[in-house]
Amino acid sequence: MELPNSSIQQIKTKINENTSFLDELGESVSQRCSKVQKKLNAFISFDPQFIAEQIEGIKNTVHNSKNLSLLGVPFALADNISTSEQKTTCASKFLATYQPPFDARVTSILKANGAIAAGKTNMNEFGVGCSGDSSYFKAVKNPCDTKHTSGNGAAAAVLTGAVKLSLASDALGELRQAASYCGVIAIKPTYGRISRRGLLDYASSLEQIGIISNSTGELAAVMETLFGYDPEDVSTLDAKVPAYSLMLDKNTNKIHAAVPEDWSDAPYLQDHIKILFQEQINKLEDLGIKIDLISLPHFRYASTAATIISAVEAFSNLANYDGIRFGYRGEAKHLQEMYTQTRSEGFSSKLKKFLTFGSLISTANYYHDYFLQSQKMRSLITIELDTCLQKYDLLLTPTTPFTAPKLDHPSPMNGELADPAGFYTAAANLAGLPALTFPVNGSGLPFGLHFMAKRENEIELLKTALLLEKEISFQKPEFDI
Amino acid sequence: MQEFETVIGLEVHVELLTKTKMFCGCSTAFGASPNTQVCPLCLGLPGGTVPELNRKAIEYTIKAAMALNCSITEEITFDRKNYFYADLPKGYQISQFFYPMGTGGYVEIHLNGSTKKIGIRQIHLEEDTGKLLHLGNIISSPYSRVDFNRAGVPLVEIVTDPEVRSAEEARLFLQKLRSILRYIEISDCKMEEGSMRCDANISLMPLGSKEFGNKTELKNMNSFRSVYKGIEYEVERQRNILLEGAEVTPQTRHWDESKGLTKAMRSKFVSADYRCFPDPAIPPFDPPQEWLEEIRESIPELPDSRFTRFVREYELPPYDAEVLTGSREMADFFDAVLTLYNEPKNVSNWIMSEFLRLLNSTNTEISECRIKPEDLGELLNLMDKEVISGKIAKGVFEEMFASGEKPEDIIKKKGLVQISDENTLSKIIDSVLEGNPSSVEDFHSGKNKAMGFLVGQVMKETKGKANPQLVNKLLKEKIEK
């Protein structure tokens, strides 16, 4: 069977027709993951034995689990999402051998719905950024061109069909950037839609677990399963979860989208992306989407404000990495020395720079000038976007100013505070709005169209994605596995 | 000699009587084996999220803030206080730095017959830390262990204005504070068990000056007595330094109970930047108005208004009222006795002498005591009806205290009913007069003492049960005949 071409529904039907299909499925997942791993280094943990055990488990209970929504669906989790049966390393030396004592909420939900955990995907250390160059377990190569980064393993694993869906975190846009680099669909839902329990997050107020998929319909099904209030996470939304799959088929009113008039001011914006994006605007207008250029004066400061806020939250969120209760511990005679050794040796120098920055700007001397200013900017951007989305259904931009950077030339940076890759994506995190990236193919590497919608209005994003899927003869990027 | 004014500000920490910790379901019970009341959350393991807030902890803090006459914050927010220490699992403490639960309150103390208000600057909710265990003292111990049972227990911190002027005022303040917090049943306030802890900021300034002198922070005072003694010592120490023309070094000092002196711990204000910022994982929340009303209505009559009522309505001396309202149980007991026996001063005398004596000598809490208020009322009624004498009543009361039996039962069982029958008493008196002719003669020769002796003989014959007034009257009649 060709896993990449089978839908969630097809997998389920085949299992229900004949249980022995499960063996074939397990074998296929293992082989596929194994190839992807060899070629791209997409996984940190991948174990055929563990996949086989899960297949056995499903076999034994299949008579009770026929209707499970994700029966037999192979998925991957980024390695900062807790799994009690596999290591959770955050792609760091610090947690290189750490196995959490509990499952993340999303892990439990996927398990309970019959899905198969294929592996833990590679990422930037602690999920900070999407440059692909800060994993303790080495970089992930882009399936479309192995000389380039894939941003993270989650996107690469979905594009190559190693798994049907994968989950990863998104604090400044990391998930959507990687999806853009690899040519897959990804959604970062409204803040609070998915429980963060068990996510080893670095920036709690910005970071959400998002979903990567090859198909809008399947994305909708997974969202229905994962969304919902969690009493164990006070930051989750206590809101009704819509039946996205059913709503997708309903007719859409004419879509009215806005584009920031200064969208092309993004630093390092590649010329061909400028042209491609303009072409896409024309195509969308041909599809009947009405598009206005509007003024969003604060939008351009989003990634800088988000970087500062995330750095402060990260230094605090990662303060529990002290070598006392878990993870790496440096050799030392005294407590103070233990902290120094543990954190000096357990974190990469890139991460230490980031944490030091966060620690510095949260001291009384800098708090007002940096952190508080950034929080004020966050409020301004939130108001600006909320107001814009009162009038428009969507806010449209490119997902990243450039296609996947070369592995030996990570994200172009020239002394800026913020990673330029987050120029378009960080605003959704600041405002807690839902955002989706949809792949576009030009010649060369893929890139994504980025849509933001009103709070809790993910359905608008799904409907737009479905429209594009149907109308713009959507072609998956080419890759060779 | 130069005169100084003492300026003291107190910081009081009180553990709340919630059954579970602030951000997880672990028990808060005191005295369990180390690290048996912990979970991934309060151990600060990666991926822990803040669950639904502990409503009881918030309710108790609001209740305390109201009882201390504070105004309540409109929005409840939590902040992180960041620092590294081995007993702090997350590397930060969740507290209310920017917007305390209550501000601008006061507590009244009674001093030398007048009333003084001590301002409450703020009251806020935070989580407790773990505890370090050493072999001997911290310096010589070859290693240290950490017990995290206490980590995450909800703690209320109450900070006074620098309006306390002496060790005596500090002691009175703490006693009143404890009384109020026990009245509202939010903490057991046991200084010995650490559920109430007090630090004192102490400085001296020349009498009449408006500028505070250098202060020291005094810690490790584990009883009201040591608060008093510690402050007395520290004030004297500072006075001597100033009289010598030297300067007080701002520092943290430890009260050494066994040696009766204070010792420097570390220089203060060197590294005290806690990098406080709003907790990014806990959304702010507005307490509903109805809930606040409910909490306000649940506050019982507090010691001060009860004191006033006891003085006004019952016409008790202030001293009696102060003692009786010192604890809610005692005041409730007093009020309950009055419903059966409405002689306030009489009841007060009994409680303040007999009852307190027994409670103290047997080290019994009033809540554990076996005497019911209605039984004391009944006993006093029996005395007034001359069923028993006052002397007998004291014995019966002791019996009641020991066994919990009703006074009627004890009197009946032991045959203690007062002999008030004239015929019976006449016969006994006759035989006493007959048997003590010399005393009769003494009486007639003007020695009044003899009368006392004869009464005593009658009492002896009747085992103390004779009605003393009647004995006096009959004896007089007979002897003067």
Side-chain angles (χ1 to χ4, degrees), chain A residues 447-467:
Chain A
F447 100 104
L449 286 181
H450 189 261
F451 301 94
M452 261 189 256
K454 276 192 247 326
R455 227 164 280 285
E456 296 177 38
N457 210 17
E458 286 84 356
I459 187 62
E460 200 65 46
L461 300 173
L462 291 175
K463 281 184 171 175
T464 308
L466 191 66
L467 180 72

Side-chain angles (χ1 to χ4, degrees), chain A residues 271-463:
Chain A
D271 288 341
H272 76 280
I273 289 206
K274 212 163 162 178
I275 297 164
L276 264 175
F277 184 66
Q278 194 55 58
E279 276 175 26
Q280 291 301 320
I281 290 183
N282 299 340
K283 273 194 192 172
L284 293 174
E285 283 178 327
D286 291 345
L287 287 176
I289 296 179
K290 192 173 179 309
I291 295 177
D292 291 345
L293 286 178
I294 62 156
S295 158
L296 292 175
H298 299 101
F299 183 82
R300 58 167 65 213
Y301 304 113
S303 67
T304 304
T307 301
I308 289 172
I309 292 169
S310 72
V312 170
E313 294 185 8
F315 115 80
S316 173
N317 274 16
L318 270 60
N320 55 342
Y321 293 80
D322 55 11
I324 293 182
R325 287 143 293 123
F326 61 88
Y328 184 81
R329 180 189 286 187
E331 281 290 318
K333 285 204 178 72
H334 304 292
L335 186 63
Q336 198 60 42
E337 195 186 340
M338 183 169 104
Y339 290 144
T340 313
Q341 289 305 106
T342 299
R343 291 171 69 85
S344 300
E345 294 163 8
F347 293 144
S348 73
S349 55
K350 193 172 174 181
L351 186 68
K352 276 183 280 189
K353 225 177 191 175
F354 182 61
L355 296 179
T356 307
F357 173 62
S359 168
L360 179 71
I361 54 176
S362 53
T363 54
N365 290 345
Y366 296 97
Y367 185 86
H368 284 268
D369 291 347
Y370 289 83
F371 185 68
L372 215 56
Q373 291 299 326
S374 300
Q375 291 288 20
K376 282 182 187 164
M377 181 54 73
R378 182 180 196 166
S379 303
L380 289 173
I381 289 171
T382 304
I383 294 167
E384 189 169 291
L385 292 177
D386 282 344
T387 313
C388 161
L389 291 165
Q390 285 297 316
K391 196 170 165 203
Y392 296 94
D393 303 309
L394 298 168
L395 182 67
L396 169 64
T397 60
T399 305
T400 48
F402 36 78
T403 53
K406 279 194 163 174
L407 279 170
D408 50 3
H409 287 100
S411 205
M413 253 177 123
N414 198 7
E416 294 92 347
L417 186 61
D419 183 346
F423 185 84
Y424 297 114
T425 51
N429 301 88
L430 284 178
L433 299 176
L436 177 141
T437 176
F438 191 85
V440 173
N441 280 318
S443 49
L445 289 165
F447 100 104
L449 286 181
H450 189 261
F451 301 94
M452 261 189 256
K454 276 192 247 326
R455 227 164 280 285
E456 296 177 38
N457 210 17
E458 286 84 356
I459 187 62
E460 200 65 46
L461 300 173
L462 291 175
K463 281 184 171 175

Side-chain angles (χ1 to χ4, degrees), chain A residues 198 229 232 234 316-317 325 364, chain B residues 43 47 49-50 52 80 82 89 273:
Chain A
Y229 177 68
E232 287 184 313
V234 71
S316 173
N317 274 16
R325 287 143 293 123
Chain B
L43 279 177
T49 43
V50 171
E52 276 177 347
R80 289 183 182 180
N82 296 280
D273 190 340

Side-chain angles (χ1 to χ4, degrees), chain A residues 183-294:
Chain A
V184 286
I185 307 173
I187 190 166
K188 177 206 86 77
T190 307
Y191 188 82
R193 275 290 199 198
I194 297 183
S195 169
R196 289 182 308 113
R197 162 98 162 140
L199 170 68
L200 280 61
D201 55 355
Y202 77 93
S204 310
S205 78
L206 302 161
E207 200 161 345
Q208 284 287 282
I209 293 174
I211 309 162
I212 302 178
S213 164
N214 272 319
S215 123
T216 308
E218 297 187 0
L219 187 59
V222 178
M223 283 160 62
E224 283 170 12
T225 314
L226 289 179
F227 282 15
Y229 177 68
D230 178 4
E232 287 184 313
D233 177 5
V234 71
S235 71
T236 49
L237 279 173
D238 195 359
K240 204 172 165 260
V241 178
Y244 294 115
S245 305
L246 293 175
M247 291 166 79
L248 257 186
D249 293 335
K250 299 222 173 97
N251 282 337
T252 320
N253 296 329
K254 197 174 155 69
I255 299 173
H256 200 176
V259 172
E261 59 186 8
D262 55 354
W263 67 271
S264 62
D265 284 356
Y268 307 101
L269 179 66
Q270 285 171 343
D271 288 341
H272 76 280
I273 289 206
K274 212 163 162 178
I275 297 164
L276 264 175
F277 184 66
Q278 194 55 58
E279 276 175 26
Q280 291 301 320
I281 290 183
N282 299 340
K283 273 194 192 172
L284 293 174
E285 283 178 327
D286 291 345
L287 287 176
I289 296 179
K290 192 173 179 309
I291 295 177
D292 291 345
L293 286 178
I294 62 156

